[in-house]
Structure formats: C-alpha cells, structure tokens
Amino acid sequence: MTDIKSLYLSELQNFITENGFPKFRAKQIHDWLNKGVTYFDEMHNLPKNLIEFLSASCYISVANIEKKLTSRYDKTVKYLFRLYDGEFVETVVMSYHHGYSICVSTQVGCKMGCTFCATGKSGFSRSLSASEILAQIESAQRDLGVRISNIVLMGMGEPLDNYDNVVRFLRLVSSEQGLNIGMRHITLSTCGLVPKIYDLANEELAITLSVSLHAPDDETRSKTMPVNNTYPLKDLIKACRDYFDKTGRRISFEYAMIDGVNDSDECAKKLAALLNGLNCHINLIPVNSVKGSSFKKSKLERQRAFINILEKKGIAATVRRTLGSDINASCGQLKRNHTDKEGGI
C-alpha cells in the first residue's frame, strides 16, 4: 500500500499518470489531503474508478485522539494520538502571543536512553513516516480550530535517528502546496548524532537546530546521555560550529538544570568555555520529575546564579518558561502512564 500523504506533489503526479489517470487528478488529490480528509470517498470531485483505485492501493495516515488534556493555567493542550497499528505518540500545542506552536513526535519511543527522559524509559518501537508526523499537526488543528504557525520536533524520539522521514516531513510541511509553515518557524532538536548534523547542514534548510547538551563535560554528559560515549562533546561542538559556518543559522542549546548534577558555578564556567565564540543561545530547562528517576530540578536561586555566570561570559541564555505543568506536558509521560494502566501495548 502506498503512503500517499508522504508523497511530494511531483511524486504523486508520476504515481497517478503511471497508473493511467490524468495528471491534473494528482493536484485534486493533493488538495484533499491538505484539507485533512481521512477517506478517499470524501474526495467528491474524483471519478469512481479513481477512488476505487486509491482505496485499493493507497492509505491515508491519521492520528486519532486517544486522550486530550488541557492546562487550567495556560491552555496548553497535550494529545495522546493512536496510530494505525495501535502505537501511541504524544503531541503538545502551546499558545503564545505570536500564535500557536506544536511539539511533534518523530518516533514511537526512543533509542537514545537519556536517564532524565520519560520517553527513553519506555523503550523504542518504530520510527514515524513523514505523513504520521504531518497527521499530528492536522489532527490538532482540526480539533482546536486553529492554525499552527510554529513547529518544534522535540517530542518523542530522536529526529535525526529518523533522518529521511524527518527531512521529507520538513519539505512537505513547508511546501506552498502543503501546510506552508515556513522553515524559519521550525526547530529540530537532537541529542547529538554528529554525522547526521553534517548531513542536515547539506540539506540547506532554514530551520533552527537545537542541540540537547545538558552537561559541560564528557564525564557528566556520559552519565546521563549514553550518546556521548559515541559522539563526545569535542566532536559534537565541532559539528555545531561547522553547521553554523555552513548555514549561517544560530544554534540553540538545551540544558536541563538538574539539582546537584550539572548546575554548579563550575559547570556554568565550563559551559561558557565550551561554547566560547559560537553563535548560539542556551535554553535552561528545569528538569521534569520523571517516574523512576531521582533527578530534581535546580532551585530558583541556582538557576539565577548559573545564568548570571553565562551572561558575564558573553553567552546568551534564558530559562525556558514552563507550560502545561499541571498536565505533565513534557513528552513521554502521558504515554507511559496510559500504557502502564493498560498493562502495556
């Protein structure tokens, strides 16, 4: 069965003509897909024989709402979506003064095994297709009656571990014939798969690269992020510098503030030295409490002291605003709780 929503318009045109139908039918199908139809018989301007062909040879990816939580404090919405095979992914929609942002998942689970992450503790099932990533946005827009203007690939999974599907998604979602969300409004987060960072630089996509750093030295980082044993900080930071030189796009670094682990004055000084001269911004994130982990978020005064040291060293840094705190809006927790209650999926 052909995953029709993952096709570029040119590919869809070839598929349609190769199977004996007029080329203009591809644009009609494409328009219907962008309207979010989930069944081919909803495409009312197509002839019966084409609908029958599509139904027999293709499928339309969907993300069905299994559970929805809305924050009482800031109207952040968290979805647990069920996919065609019964797997679940999480998606979060956040409301800002500039519009709506969505955090999408790229995999069911994650292989990376970061010790502070709820997703990693649930294991890995599979990667998502480009259309399944798109479906999360379409389902959220349809349910909320809003237009999403910003995307972060920072939900469940490691985007660069699903490289081909993620790049295809980026081109589809930014296409003028698609959802038309500009590349400059898209952020991709990675734990640091160095070879894929170089590949991404060569794609010439005007997205923002966000690197989950979380430690200023190899010893500390390897304890919480196993990926560091394969791609140590020296190689990762060089890749980030080369990425900026190639793309001209400022790097964003994510740094989870963990009490007593990576939030000391010495850690702040090491971090400033590590990133010295790199055009970047650091998002400090008070770590989330995760079932099965003893990590606690840094105290407010420690966060302030840390950011003060960075700023004195000329490193731009902010503490990320916490949204959806009453609904566990960080990805991985809703799925884990749901599958625990179900006895596993």
Side-chain angles (χ1 to χ4, degrees):
M1 298 284 281
T2 298
D3 176 9
I4 195 166
K5 195 185 286 187
S6 286
L7 298 180
Y8 300 129
L9 178 57
S10 59
E11 293 174 331
L12 181 55
Q13 289 170 336
N14 290 337
F15 176 71
I16 289 298
T17 56
E18 287 170 1
N19 283 281
F21 296 97
K23 182 178 179 180
F24 77 91
R25 294 296 186 189
K27 181 63 167 59
Q28 291 177 319
I29 296 167
H30 194 263
D31 289 345
W32 281 114
L33 292 173
N34 285 327
K35 291 177 182 177
V37 301
T38 55
Y39 297 99
F40 292 110
D41 56 13
E42 296 178 75
M43 300 179 178
H44 304 306
N45 58 348
L46 300 186
K48 183 179 178 181
N49 65 331
L50 178 52
I51 290 175
E52 290 175 347
F53 166 76
L54 293 173
S55 298
S57 60
C58 305
Y59 68 93
I60 302 174
S61 290
V62 294
N64 294 314
I65 300 173
E66 179 75 12
K67 193 169 186 178
K68 174 184 175 182
L69 301 176
T70 303
S71 172
R72 295 169 295 173
Y73 305 134
D74 51 44
K75 301 204 186 310
T76 295
V77 179
K78 185 170 189 176
Y79 293 100
L80 183 67
F81 287 126
R82 182 188 287 268
L83 305 177
Y84 76 95
D85 57 356
E87 293 285 5
F88 296 100
V89 292
E90 296 180 26
T91 305
V92 180
V93 178
M94 299 150 286
S95 177
Y96 295 97
H97 68 276
H98 55 73
Y100 289 89
S101 294
I102 191 167
C103 178
V104 296
S105 294
T106 55
Q107 295 180 311
V108 181
C110 186
K111 303 174 187 175
M112 300 300 114
C114 299
T115 57
F116 48 81
C117 175
T119 298
K121 293 182 179 298
S122 298
F124 174 80
S125 296
R126 66 175 178 85
S127 291
L128 301 188
S129 65
S131 62
E132 288 176 317
I133 306 173
L134 275 172
Q136 296 170 60
I137 302 173
E138 293 170 345
S139 291
Q141 287 191 146
R142 185 164 56 249
D143 179 62
L144 296 174
V146 302
R147 170 172 165 74
I148 301 295
S149 57
N150 294 270
I151 303 169
V152 288
L153 286 80
M154 204 177 289
M156 295 170 60
E158 163 55 54
L160 296 187
D161 187 46
N162 185 19
Y163 186 86
D164 291 340
N165 287 326
V166 164
V167 170
R168 178 171 284 267
F169 159 76
L170 292 172
R171 297 193 188 281
L172 286 169
V173 79
S174 60
S175 167
E176 291 183 1
Q177 291 83 31
L179 293 183
N180 197 22
I181 300 175
M183 291 281 188
R184 295 182 185 276
H185 297 277
I186 302 175
T187 297
L188 182 152
S189 176
T190 178
C191 68
L193 303 187
V194 168
K196 296 300 183 183
I197 291 176
Y198 284 103
D199 290 344
L200 190 65
N202 290 328
E203 299 285 351
E204 298 183 350
L205 304 174
I207 62 172
T208 296
L209 178 65
S210 179
V211 177
S212 297
L213 199 57
H214 306 316
D217 57 72
D218 284 322
E219 181 181 0
T220 305
R221 195 168 192 261
S222 293
K223 289 178 181 177
T224 56
M225 301 183 70
V227 69
N228 197 72
N229 294 313
T230 304
Y231 305 114
L233 282 173
K234 178 182 177 183
D235 296 338
L236 175 58
I237 299 305
K238 182 180 185 304
C240 290
R241 294 183 187 277
D242 291 345
Y243 183 91
F244 174 78
D245 290 342
K246 173 78 174 179
T247 67
R249 301 287 295 166
R250 184 174 72 160
I251 306 285
S252 174
F253 289 101
E254 309 292 323
Y255 194 99
M257 297 284 286
I258 308 173
D259 184 42
V261 175
N262 64 353
D263 63 349
S264 67
D265 286 357
E266 184 62 25
C267 283
K269 293 174 184 176
K270 286 183 178 180
L271 182 59
L274 180 71
L275 302 179
N276 183 48
L278 176 59
N279 189 337
C280 65
H281 179 272
I282 301 176
N283 282 315
L284 301 177
I285 311 163
V287 74
N288 294 293
S289 297
V290 174
K291 184 179 178 181
S293 171
S294 60
F295 291 147
K296 297 179 180 179
K297 66 180 179 182
S298 301
K299 296 177 177 61
L300 187 58
E301 57 268 24
R302 186 91 294 275
Q303 296 175 37
R304 289 170 176 165
F306 198 94
I307 202 169
N308 187 50
I309 291 171
L310 292 176
E311 288 177 344
K312 286 183 177 178
K313 297 288 186 179
I315 304 292
T318 53
V319 176
R320 178 184 290 172
R321 176 186 169 202
T322 300
L323 296 176
S325 59
D326 58 325
I327 57 171
N328 288 330
S330 61
C331 277
Q333 300 182 81
L334 182 57
K335 175 181 181 291
R336 195 170 181 214
N337 292 339
H338 184 78
T339 52
D340 284 349
K341 290 178 181 177
E342 294 286 324
I345 298 296

